[in-house]
Amino acid sequence: MSNLKEIEKAIISLSSNEFEQLKQWFFELDYQRWDEQIERDIADGHLEAFAEEAIAEFEAGHCREL
């Protein structure tokens, strides 16, 4: 399958069970890629400013229990 239209056509032809399996696989892949991106962002220091801001807000008492 070399293009998106062919992939879409193949997905449409799946049985309900196969579609559910594909959907589960896709969600797991998406979660894995999201986790990998977050790990890269953390390692590269991209989230440091957010963490510092959150800690400062907490230490200043600007928080509440959920």
Side-chain angles (χ1 to χ4, degrees), residues 41-52:
D41 289 346
I42 291 169
D44 293 342
H46 295 297
L47 302 178
E48 193 65 31
F50 293 118
E52 290 172 2

Side-chain angles (χ1 to χ4, degrees), residues 5-35:
K5 290 295 178 191
E6 290 175 354
I7 294 169
E8 289 172 349
K9 185 177 178 180
I11 289 171
I12 289 171
S13 70
L14 294 174
S15 68
S16 295
N17 185 37
E18 290 171 322
F19 180 76
E20 287 302 317
Q21 291 176 17
L22 174 64
K23 187 169 63 169
Q24 184 63 38
W25 172 83
F26 187 81
F27 285 145
E28 289 173 9
L29 176 62
D30 189 42
Y31 296 146
Q32 177 185 351
R33 288 184 174 184
W34 173 256
D35 287 345

Side-chain angles (χ1 to χ4, degrees), residues 47-63:
L47 302 178
E48 193 65 31
F50 293 118
E52 290 172 2
E53 180 181 353
I55 291 168
E57 290 291 316
F58 176 77
E59 289 174 345
H62 300 135
C63 61

